[in-house]
Amino acid sequence: MISTKPRVRFAPSPTGYLHVGGARTVLFNWLYAKNTGGQFILRVEDTDQERSTREHERMQLEDIKWLGFSYDEGPEVGGPHGPYRQSERLDVYAKCAGELIANGKAYYCFCSEETLEQKRQAAMAAGAVPQYDGTCRGISQADAKARVGKGEKAVVRFLAKVKDYKLDDLVRGEVLFPANMVGDFVILRQGGMPVYNFCVVIDDHLMQITHVLRAEEHLSNTVRQMMLYEAYGWELPRFGHMSLILGSDRQKLSKRHGATSVHQYAEEGYLREALLNFLVLLGWSSPTENKEIMTIEEMVRDFSLDRLNPAPGVFDPVKLKWMNGQYIKALPLADVTARALPFLEKGGIPVAKVERAWLERAFDAIRPYLETLADAPKHMRLFFDETYGVEPDAVAVKAEPTYAAVVTALRDALKTHVSAHGDALTGDEFGKIQDQVKTASGAKGKGLFMPIRVALTGHAHGPDLKILIPLVGAKRAAARAEKALG
Ligand code: GLU
């Protein structure tokens, strides 16, 4: 009995970090499960022994966790349909393959790799699509078993039916796979290791998966999988093949386009919220017209399969960066500051030496200028670095005629403040100091504010000084003005 509530899955092959395309697949499956009250299953497809490792699995699970997803069934959490690693299910596949052989729907093939390769070359030379020619189809089950028993090497092939297959795809509509598209394909390799197209069917069936939502790249596999469902007499799950993800040059997204792993985006200071928001728009759109920025809760609420779009999605890193900046500004301050800590530390900002409340205020002042958390140390230096020089864009300000008078008055006013009140300085007090400087120097507008800013920060642009300078403190501000005069 297929479950009445959707059961969806993400089935990564642990051959490296989680790719952004994989992250989108997790996201869409997870959203669908959450939206429908269904279940999300994680299954590790690690039968490619050469490329799969436990270390890669650990990395992928960590990336999935970093993105904020949890799963109802899967490795580590378990569940009623486990184990959830294909390498631990080999007995299941062997038994299922045995059934097909017994029913004459699959057979042992003894053709050597060399022979197959020669035939493949010959077919291609003749302009034909290479397909297995059926040499071993006629070997009786008894003979085949005897040969295998004697240790002869064999693969197991599925006996493909020659007929059209039609898929009603949730994203692409009707997809026709014409007869003869695939020949008798291997389901068990020599030594008995099963192949992806076989395991995926057994597992999706036994794990009662109702919807297979995966990347378009797998569409051509689906016909093989449909043949297997048919051979077993199993109900087909619904399939939805999500649009390709292209780079800005409209070529398939690859390392050439820059970072492609979730891990790398995390390392570069992207927020999971921004990455997910960006990814959800690659192949799906909100029912609210032109709505681009949305919380996870809104995505869960609004997600539906009928808004999946078959047209390729373009991965625009500039847009992702912009979105990330929006999230840095919008997330709760304590949360985003905490996430910035490792970046600040790495950038040499002595975060352990300052109070958290102070750090949060300082971070709040600079966050409008950040696109990624990795930008934070550079901006945070304003608060710590007393050795700053004059930035190129600020050199002209230093040459302004009002400069010396303004900075002299500033230094004097700050020193007076220190004598009377010590280091503590509020935004209002700094505002009054600026008024005093204005009166004393006769400068106004840009002629007043730019020299103050450049003297105290070395920069021509940056956060509001009424926020910035109280965080620096009156003493250091006075020293900065003094130094600027030198
Ligand atoms: N292991 C396959 C992959 O990583 C999963 C394909 C599928 O979802 O069926 O691409």
mmCIF file of all heavy atoms in Angstrom, residues 8 26 35 81 104 118 123 186 195 214 251 268 282 313 340 448 457 475 481:
data_model
loop_
_atom_site.group_PDB
_atom_site.id
_atom_site.type_symbol
_atom_site.label_atom_id
_atom_site.label_comp_id
_atom_site.label_asym_id
_atom_site.label_seq_id
_atom_site.Cartn_x
_atom_site.Cartn_y
_atom_site.Cartn_z
ATOM 1 N N VAL A 8 8.756 11.637 0.297
ATOM 2 C CA VAL A 8 9.749 12.046 -0.703
ATOM 3 C C VAL A 8 11.132 11.749 -0.168
ATOM 4 O O VAL A 8 11.305 11.507 1.030
ATOM 5 C CB VAL A 8 9.614 13.553 -1.050
ATOM 6 C CG1 VAL A 8 8.310 13.828 -1.774
ATOM 7 C CG2 VAL A 8 9.722 14.413 0.201
ATOM 8 N N VAL A 26 17.226 18.847 -2.304
ATOM 9 C CA VAL A 26 16.827 18.651 -0.903
ATOM 10 C C VAL A 26 15.724 19.644 -0.569
ATOM 11 O O VAL A 26 14.690 19.289 0.000
ATOM 12 C CB VAL A 26 17.980 18.938 0.105
ATOM 13 C CG1 VAL A 26 17.567 18.520 1.515
ATOM 14 C CG2 VAL A 26 19.261 18.272 -0.289
ATOM 15 N N ASN A 35 5.062 21.050 3.382
ATOM 16 C CA ASN A 35 3.814 21.679 2.936
ATOM 17 C C ASN A 35 2.623 20.714 3.022
ATOM 18 O O ASN A 35 1.497 21.123 3.293
ATOM 19 C CB ASN A 35 3.982 22.179 1.490
ATOM 20 C CG ASN A 35 2.689 22.702 0.901
ATOM 21 O OD1 ASN A 35 1.899 21.947 0.346
ATOM 22 N ND2 ASN A 35 2.449 24.003 1.055
ATOM 23 N N HIS A 81 12.099 1.596 7.364
ATOM 24 C CA HIS A 81 12.410 1.004 6.053
ATOM 25 C C HIS A 81 13.910 0.882 5.811
ATOM 26 O O HIS A 81 14.354 0.806 4.688
ATOM 27 C CB HIS A 81 11.763 1.830 4.941
ATOM 28 C CG HIS A 81 10.297 2.014 5.123
ATOM 29 N ND1 HIS A 81 9.377 1.031 4.833
ATOM 30 C CD2 HIS A 81 9.576 3.054 5.615
ATOM 31 C CE1 HIS A 81 8.156 1.464 5.124
ATOM 32 N NE2 HIS A 81 8.247 2.690 5.602
ATOM 33 N N GLY A 104 12.455 -15.089 -15.541
ATOM 34 C CA GLY A 104 12.872 -14.900 -16.926
ATOM 35 C C GLY A 104 12.879 -13.442 -17.360
ATOM 36 O O GLY A 104 12.892 -13.127 -18.540
ATOM 37 N N GLN A 118 34.222 -4.043 -28.509
ATOM 38 C CA GLN A 118 34.387 -4.181 -29.972
ATOM 39 C C GLN A 118 33.052 -3.965 -30.682
ATOM 40 O O GLN A 118 32.958 -3.245 -31.672
ATOM 41 C CB GLN A 118 34.906 -5.586 -30.318
ATOM 42 C CG GLN A 118 36.421 -5.713 -30.184
ATOM 43 C CD GLN A 118 36.841 -7.185 -30.174
ATOM 44 O OE1 GLN A 118 36.066 -8.074 -30.524
ATOM 45 N NE2 GLN A 118 38.082 -7.426 -29.753
ATOM 46 N N ALA A 123 29.204 -0.785 -33.864
ATOM 47 C CA ALA A 123 27.880 -0.174 -34.008
ATOM 48 C C ALA A 123 28.023 1.313 -34.272
ATOM 49 O O ALA A 123 27.364 1.871 -35.156
ATOM 50 C CB ALA A 123 27.053 -0.424 -32.747
ATOM 51 N N VAL A 186 22.394 -3.593 -17.687
ATOM 52 C CA VAL A 186 22.953 -4.329 -16.553
ATOM 53 C C VAL A 186 22.254 -3.872 -15.268
ATOM 54 O O VAL A 186 22.059 -2.678 -15.052
ATOM 55 C CB VAL A 186 24.473 -4.047 -16.455
ATOM 56 C CG1 VAL A 186 25.075 -4.659 -15.187
ATOM 57 C CG2 VAL A 186 25.190 -4.580 -17.692
ATOM 58 N N VAL A 195 23.527 -1.749 -9.812
ATOM 59 C CA VAL A 195 23.719 -0.410 -10.387
ATOM 60 C C VAL A 195 22.618 0.535 -9.895
ATOM 61 O O VAL A 195 21.556 0.087 -9.452
ATOM 62 C CB VAL A 195 23.732 -0.435 -11.926
ATOM 63 C CG1 VAL A 195 24.780 -1.408 -12.450
ATOM 64 C CG2 VAL A 195 22.358 -0.768 -12.468
ATOM 65 N N ARG A 214 13.557 15.090 -8.658
ATOM 66 C CA ARG A 214 15.004 15.094 -8.840
ATOM 67 C C ARG A 214 15.368 15.892 -10.073
ATOM 68 O O ARG A 214 14.500 16.378 -10.807
ATOM 69 C CB ARG A 214 15.521 13.653 -8.944
ATOM 70 C CG ARG A 214 14.958 12.924 -10.126
ATOM 71 C CD ARG A 214 15.394 11.467 -10.133
ATOM 72 N NE ARG A 214 14.711 10.721 -11.180
ATOM 73 C CZ ARG A 214 14.618 9.406 -11.217
ATOM 74 N NH1 ARG A 214 15.192 8.674 -10.287
ATOM 75 N NH2 ARG A 214 13.992 8.814 -12.212
ATOM 76 N N GLN A 251 25.456 27.962 -19.924
ATOM 77 C CA GLN A 251 26.020 26.615 -20.017
ATOM 78 C C GLN A 251 25.707 25.925 -18.696
ATOM 79 O O GLN A 251 25.499 26.591 -17.690
ATOM 80 C CB GLN A 251 27.535 26.666 -20.224
ATOM 81 C CG GLN A 251 27.973 27.387 -21.472
ATOM 82 C CD GLN A 251 27.515 26.685 -22.730
ATOM 83 O OE1 GLN A 251 27.716 25.494 -22.892
ATOM 84 N NE2 GLN A 251 26.848 27.435 -23.619
ATOM 85 N N GLU A 268 32.482 31.038 2.417
ATOM 86 C CA GLU A 268 32.638 32.395 1.886
ATOM 87 C C GLU A 268 31.724 33.401 2.569
ATOM 88 O O GLU A 268 31.663 34.562 2.161
ATOM 89 C CB GLU A 268 32.390 32.390 0.370
ATOM 90 C CG GLU A 268 33.516 31.700 -0.387
ATOM 91 C CD GLU A 268 33.285 31.670 -1.889
ATOM 92 O OE1 GLU A 268 32.356 32.335 -2.374
ATOM 93 O OE2 GLU A 268 34.065 30.960 -2.567
ATOM 94 N N LEU A 282 15.124 28.951 -8.409
ATOM 95 C CA LEU A 282 15.653 28.268 -9.591
ATOM 96 C C LEU A 282 14.710 27.120 -9.935
ATOM 97 O O LEU A 282 14.890 25.991 -9.497
ATOM 98 C CB LEU A 282 17.066 27.736 -9.338
ATOM 99 C CG LEU A 282 18.154 28.775 -9.083
ATOM 100 C CD1 LEU A 282 19.501 28.100 -8.872
ATOM 101 C CD2 LEU A 282 18.253 29.745 -10.248
ATOM 102 N N GLY A 313 16.900 27.197 -14.898
ATOM 103 C CA GLY A 313 17.124 28.317 -13.990
ATOM 104 C C GLY A 313 18.561 28.801 -14.142
ATOM 105 O O GLY A 313 19.468 27.987 -14.337
ATOM 106 N N ALA A 340 28.774 35.654 12.430
ATOM 107 C CA ALA A 340 29.924 36.385 11.884
ATOM 108 C C ALA A 340 31.203 36.122 12.685
ATOM 109 O O ALA A 340 32.310 36.366 12.188
ATOM 110 C CB ALA A 340 29.624 37.881 11.856
ATOM 111 N N LEU A 448 32.334 70.349 6.650
ATOM 112 C CA LEU A 448 32.421 70.033 8.081
ATOM 113 C C LEU A 448 32.495 68.517 8.294
ATOM 114 O O LEU A 448 33.397 68.007 8.961
ATOM 115 C CB LEU A 448 31.184 70.594 8.790
ATOM 116 C CG LEU A 448 30.997 70.206 10.265
ATOM 117 C CD1 LEU A 448 32.084 70.853 11.137
ATOM 118 C CD2 LEU A 448 29.604 70.622 10.752
ATOM 119 N N THR A 457 38.214 58.148 10.843
ATOM 120 C CA THR A 457 38.151 56.775 10.301
ATOM 121 C C THR A 457 39.129 56.520 9.154
ATOM 122 O O THR A 457 39.385 55.370 8.823
ATOM 123 C CB THR A 457 36.736 56.449 9.758
ATOM 124 O OG1 THR A 457 36.495 57.231 8.573
ATOM 125 C CG2 THR A 457 35.657 56.734 10.790
ATOM 126 N N LYS A 475 38.052 58.742 24.227
ATOM 127 C CA LYS A 475 39.524 58.831 24.346
ATOM 128 C C LYS A 475 40.216 58.488 23.034
ATOM 129 O O LYS A 475 41.084 59.224 22.561
ATOM 130 C CB LYS A 475 40.017 57.878 25.443
ATOM 131 C CG LYS A 475 39.750 58.391 26.847
ATOM 132 C CD LYS A 475 40.331 57.460 27.874
ATOM 133 C CE LYS A 475 40.001 57.971 29.272
ATOM 134 N NZ LYS A 475 40.201 56.929 30.283
ATOM 135 N N ALA A 481 41.903 62.163 16.360
ATOM 136 C CA ALA A 481 41.886 63.542 15.822
ATOM 137 C C ALA A 481 43.274 64.159 15.953
ATOM 138 O O ALA A 481 43.767 64.835 15.025
ATOM 139 C CB ALA A 481 40.843 64.360 16.553
#
